[in-house]
């Protein structure tokens, strides 16, 4: 069988959840026994989202191979349970960068370099790349942005050309749109969808299926109307009604026959019913939890829901594993002071101090950590959160009042967190952090070792600063232990306080590797400890 390509575009509005629909269809095809991956083409000029503030674009997701990518790749990995890579996320910036570099090298000597064909050819080349590895039966491609945006036009043109070039049965196009409900008229409106599909068809792309996001069920009549005016087969308009959990969407899409429409259009001989028993068990667990806990997430981007996407999802997975609903209360780290910390953290069964960059909100994180340490509240610090627990310990236990990270205080006399030599040499900001998966060896008998159930792990990083090992002896003598080290460089990757019921800081990001079917051990452990804490505190 040839590799099959499914393209997913979005219309009417952004944030309709193209990533979730793509992930859900991919999940269903995978559950039918097909080898599937998803890639995202984003129409912005940044080479990758690594240089974007989370307020702009939500969390930056990091893959095993160290690519800084769109947060939708997190959904792809969580739904499919397979790793993505740099090849799964391409931006306009990356496309132009390749074409312009080739132009300078003389690859197009004598020719005028243009959007069509040079940019579109490069887009097409990358759209087909993963298909050529022979590792996948189906490649789903999500086109970022909304149809009609000037930026996404070259991507739509590339899809049009591929639809023309590939055998008809190897290519499918799905358009996700919004059917707004006008409460005054008590009516669902199809006109914006009609316009969006017209625009898509003007670009030469004919959708095979229209998926309609809606708050209310669509009647058969309405579906027929959309099909007629959007020029798709009757029965190829399906509804995606607001779901109680994103993890419910694959089941909803199966009920709407989306996977069946896909295998039929792509002429895949596959009559299997998707095997989703583990997925359903997970869903049952998040639907009817026996227990509940409150975890406070202390961070500086808390106003934006998507800024800590993978952390939020990791709590859903870890909650299910503990038969527990985790209420994640977010707390703006800037607002935390020594005076109000008691008040703000009251009622917390667990505390997570989030990753981050720059100076804003750092001191608030330190106060929250001190509170967790002194009150025996289960605690997980991630990346900057780990660095700040090192700073807190240096200040309040070792007695170095001005201890800090050189990210905040370049002139501190106790730089307990500092930049590595090779980092100091880099002047370029994009893609130059310590990125992607590194090995880590755990100390026998440590909390980390018992949570992971082994001594050798691989976790993903995204940072420039590190624990300053000059201070390691002193930390360990006073009770903060390095229980995870990089086997090649000796860098400290995990710190723990054995005297505390559950206190872990990880220099890496455990949240990137948590999935419903494989909840992350550190999150699972934190939730279990929070449950225990709640029980003891009555
Ligand atoms: N700003 C810190 C560093 O670069 C932490 C980064 C993070 O939390 N991802 O080392």
């Amino acid at each position: 069988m040839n590799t099959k390509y499914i393209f997913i575009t979005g219309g009417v509005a952004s944030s309709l959840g193209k990533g979730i629909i793509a992930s859900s269809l991919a999940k269903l095809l995978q559950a039918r026994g097909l080898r599937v991956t998803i890639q995202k083409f984003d129409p912005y000029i940044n080479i990758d989202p690594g240089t974007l503030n989370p307020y702009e674009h939500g969390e930056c997701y990091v893959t095993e191979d160290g690519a800084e990518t769109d947060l939708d790749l997190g959904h792809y990995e969580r739904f499919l349970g397979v790793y993505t890579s740099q090849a799964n996320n391409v931006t306009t910036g990356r496309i132009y960068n390749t074409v312009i570099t080739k132009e300078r090298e003389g690859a197009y000597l004598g020719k005028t370099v243009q959007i069509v064909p040079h940019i579109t050819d490069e887009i097409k080349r990358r759209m087909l790349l993963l298909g050529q590895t022979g590792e996948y039966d189906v490649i789903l491609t999500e086109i970022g942005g909304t149809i009609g945006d000037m930026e996404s036009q070259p991507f739509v043109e590339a899809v049009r050309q591929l639809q023309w070039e590939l055998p008809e049965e190897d290519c499918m196009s799905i358009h996700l749109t919004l059917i707004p409900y006008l409460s005054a008229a008590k009516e669902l409106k199809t006109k914006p969808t009609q316009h969006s599909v017209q625009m898509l068809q003007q670009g030469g792309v004919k959708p095979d299926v229209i998926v309609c996001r809606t708050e209310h069920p669509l009647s058969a009549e309405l579906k027929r109307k959309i099909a007629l005016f959007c020029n798709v087969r009757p029965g190829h308009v399906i509804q995606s009604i607001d779901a109680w959990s994103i993890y419910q969407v694959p089941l909803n899409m199966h009920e709407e026959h989306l996977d069946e429409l896909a295998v039929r259009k792509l002429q895949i001989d596959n009559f299997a019913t998707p095997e989703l028993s583990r997925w359903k068990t997970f869903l049952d667990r998040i639907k009817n939890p026996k227990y509940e806990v409150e975890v406070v997430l202390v961070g500086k981007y808390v106003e934006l829901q998507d800024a800590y996407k993978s952390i939020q999802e990791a709590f859903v997975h870890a909650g299910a594993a503990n038969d527990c609903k985790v209420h994640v209360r977010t707390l703006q780290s800037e607002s935390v002071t020594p005076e109000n910390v008691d008040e703000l953290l009251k009622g917390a069964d667990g505390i997570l101090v989030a990753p981050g960059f720059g100076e804003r909100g750092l001191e608030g994180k330190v106060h929250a950590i001190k509170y967790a340490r002194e009150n025996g509240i289960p605690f997980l610090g991630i990346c900057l959160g780990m660095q700040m627990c090192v700073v807190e310990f240096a200040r309040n236990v070792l007695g170095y009042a001005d201890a800090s990270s050189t990210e905040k205080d370049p002139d501190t006399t106790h730089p307990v967190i500092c930049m590595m030599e090779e980092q100091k040499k880099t002047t370029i900001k994009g893609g130059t952090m310590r990125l992607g998966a590194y090995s880590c060896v755990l100390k026998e008998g440590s909390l980390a070792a018992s949570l992971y159930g082994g001594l050798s792990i691989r976790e993903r990083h995204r940072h420039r600063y590190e624990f300053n090992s000059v201070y390691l002896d002193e930390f360990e003598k006073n009770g903060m232990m390095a229980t995870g080290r990089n086997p090649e460089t000796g860098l400290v990757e995990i710190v723990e306080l054995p005297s505390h019921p559950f206190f872990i800081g990880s220099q890496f990001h455990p949240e990137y590797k948590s999935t419903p079917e494989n909840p992350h051990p550190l999150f699972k452990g934190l939730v279990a400890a929070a449950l225990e804490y709640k029980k003891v505190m009555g």
Side-chain angles (χ1 to χ4, degrees):
M1 183 179 91
N2 290 341
T3 308
K4 308 287 180 177
Y5 294 90
I6 301 177
F7 297 97
I8 298 158
T9 53
V12 179
S14 57
S15 307
L16 293 184
K18 273 196 303 266
I20 301 298
I21 293 295
S23 303
S24 298
L25 175 56
K27 179 81 202 166
L28 292 170
L29 296 174
Q30 186 193 52
R32 282 170 171 256
L34 296 162
R35 299 168 307 156
V36 185
T37 191
I38 319 175
Q39 53 187 2
K40 179 155 194 199
F41 280 65
D42 269 317
Y44 50 76
I45 311 282
N46 304 61
I47 297 277
D48 59 43
T51 50
L52 286 170
N53 184 316
Y55 286 128
E56 291 274 322
H57 203 68
E59 165 189 282
C60 171
Y61 185 77
V62 178
T63 57
E64 201 74 359
D65 67 342
E68 296 178 283
T69 71
D70 186 83
L71 61 80
D72 272 329
L73 273 82
H75 291 309
Y76 305 164
E77 290 203 4
R78 288 188 281 271
F79 275 63
L80 296 181
V82 292
Y83 291 158
T84 54
S85 70
Q86 181 62 73
N88 294 72
N89 193 193
V90 176
T91 66
T92 292
R94 202 171 277 279
I95 300 281
Y96 270 78
N97 202 28
T98 307
V99 171
I100 291 170
T101 306
K102 274 170 74 180
E103 187 275 331
R104 291 291 81 186
E105 287 165 3
Y108 313 106
L109 269 189
K111 290 266 178 282
T112 310
V113 181
Q114 293 178 299
I115 294 183
V116 182
H118 303 99
I119 293 296
T120 46
D121 279 355
E122 178 59 17
I123 296 175
K124 284 194 296 178
R125 188 183 72 79
R126 290 189 183 249
M127 281 177 168
L128 298 177
L129 217 52
L130 282 169
Q132 287 153 358
T133 61
E135 284 171 38
Y136 304 105
D137 302 314
V138 187
I139 314 270
L140 290 91
T141 303
E142 180 188 346
I143 309 291
T146 309
I147 290 304
D149 292 350
M150 193 185 276
E151 292 94 337
S152 35
Q153 278 175 12
F155 293 111
V156 175
E157 170 61 11
V159 173
R160 183 192 72 76
Q161 292 188 18
L162 284 178
Q163 271 191 321
W164 182 82
E165 284 166 20
L166 294 169
E168 211 178 317
E169 67 275 14
D170 289 353
C171 213
M172 178 180 186
S173 155
I174 298 177
H175 190 56
L176 175 68
T177 90
L178 174 71
I179 307 292
Y181 179 74
L182 295 191
S183 45
K186 295 203 174 51
E187 249 187 292
L188 287 158
K189 291 299 193 186
T190 66
K191 193 67 61 94
T193 293
Q194 295 181 40
H195 284 160
S196 175
V197 175
Q198 268 168 22
M199 209 139 36
L200 186 64
Q201 304 217 44
Q202 265 166 30
V205 174
K206 180 178 154 21
D208 297 299
V209 173
I210 298 178
V211 179
C212 303
R213 280 301 308 275
T214 171
E215 288 170 30
H216 301 275
L218 305 183
S219 64
E221 195 190 334
L222 207 77
K223 285 183 180 172
R224 232 182 359 258
K225 180 177 167 188
I226 297 169
L228 177 62
F229 292 110
C230 294
N231 202 22
V232 300
R233 311 284 314 149
H236 288 217
V237 173
I238 67 173
Q239 69 181 20
S240 168
I241 208 149
D242 290 357
W244 61 273
S245 158
I246 54 170
Y247 301 112
Q248 173 67 31
V249 180
L251 302 183
N252 293 357
M253 289 302 98
H254 180 58
E255 249 170 56
E256 290 285 321
H257 308 294
L258 182 59
D259 50 325
E260 196 185 314
L261 289 175
V263 293
R264 268 206 270 137
K265 166 71 181 77
L266 298 170
Q267 295 182 12
I268 303 173
D269 275 340
N270 184 306
F271 306 101
T273 328
E275 210 300 283
L276 290 164
S277 48
R278 279 181 72 199
W279 195 260
K280 286 182 184 156
T281 310
F282 161 74
L283 270 173
D284 282 345
R285 281 171 159 253
I286 49 175
K287 203 168 197 173
N288 305 304
K290 240 196 241 139
Y291 313 103
E292 49 184 331
V293 289
E294 179 178 278
V295 173
V296 178
L297 165 60
V298 187
K300 72 169 176 175
Y301 307 112
V302 290
E303 299 81 0
L304 187 81
Q305 232 195 328
D306 278 351
Y308 300 113
K309 194 82 210 166
S310 294
I311 292 178
Q312 299 272 11
E313 295 307 319
F315 275 124
V316 177
H317 314 152
N322 282 288
D323 212 354
C324 172
K325 162 91 193 152
V326 182
H327 299 277
V328 181
R329 170 157 69 88
T330 54
L331 176 59
Q332 170 53 258
S333 52
E334 257 185 315
S335 69
V336 186
T337 65
E339 293 71 40
N340 67 13
V341 65
D342 275 30
E343 190 55 37
L344 290 174
L345 289 173
K346 211 168 52 197
D349 304 311
I351 295 174
L352 186 144
V353 173
F357 292 83
E359 198 180 328
R360 184 167 70 89
L362 267 190
E363 292 303 320
K365 288 184 171 170
V366 175
H367 304 316
I369 292 164
K370 179 166 187 272
Y371 182 86
R373 180 176 60 77
E374 291 180 343
N375 293 287
I377 301 171
F379 171 85
L380 176 59
I382 299 179
C383 206
L384 185 65
M386 172 269 199
Q387 297 175 354
M388 288 307 109
C389 58
V390 171
V391 168
E392 191 280 325
F393 195 83
R395 287 186 191 168
N396 299 322
V397 178
L398 303 184
Y400 300 138
D402 79 329
S404 196
S405 160
T406 53
E407 181 174 11
K408 172 165 186 276
D409 298 306
D411 302 323
T412 171
T413 49
H414 293 97
V416 288
I417 299 292
C418 65
M419 208 186 258
M420 294 286 92
E421 284 310 311
E422 66 258 33
Q423 277 293 337
K424 287 184 189 157
K425 287 181 226 138
T426 45
T427 49
I428 292 173
K429 286 273 184 272
T432 55
M433 285 186 249
R434 176 145 86 101
L435 285 168
Y438 284 86
S439 300
C440 172
V441 175
L442 306 178
K443 196 177 235 156
E444 227 160 312
S446 63
L447 175 59
S450 80
L451 294 172
Y452 278 94
L455 296 183
S456 184
I457 61 169
R458 265 180 91 70
E459 291 282 5
R460 300 182 194 170
H461 292 249
R462 180 173 186 249
H463 55 100
R464 286 183 209 287
Y465 295 83
E466 307 279 356
F467 185 102
N468 184 348
S469 56
V470 168
Y471 291 90
L472 184 56
D473 268 357
E474 212 180 339
F475 271 81
E476 294 209 321
K477 273 191 202 117
N478 287 280
M480 180 172 269
M481 314 306 277
T483 58
R485 308 277 298 268
N486 180 304
E488 277 110 49
T489 57
L491 287 169
V492 173
E493 313 285 41
I494 304 180
V495 294
E496 284 180 30
L497 292 175
S499 60
H500 186 286
F502 189 105
F503 189 103
I504 288 201
S506 72
Q507 185 55 85
F508 51 79
H509 291 258
E511 70 275 23
Y512 292 144
K513 283 177 94 160
S514 184
T515 70
E517 288 166 328
N518 251 325
H520 195 282
L522 294 187
F523 279 86
K524 227 162 74 178
L526 177 65
V527 174
L531 266 170
E532 190 53 36
Y533 177 84
K534 189 175 173 182
K535 221 189 287 164
V536 173
M537 298 309 279

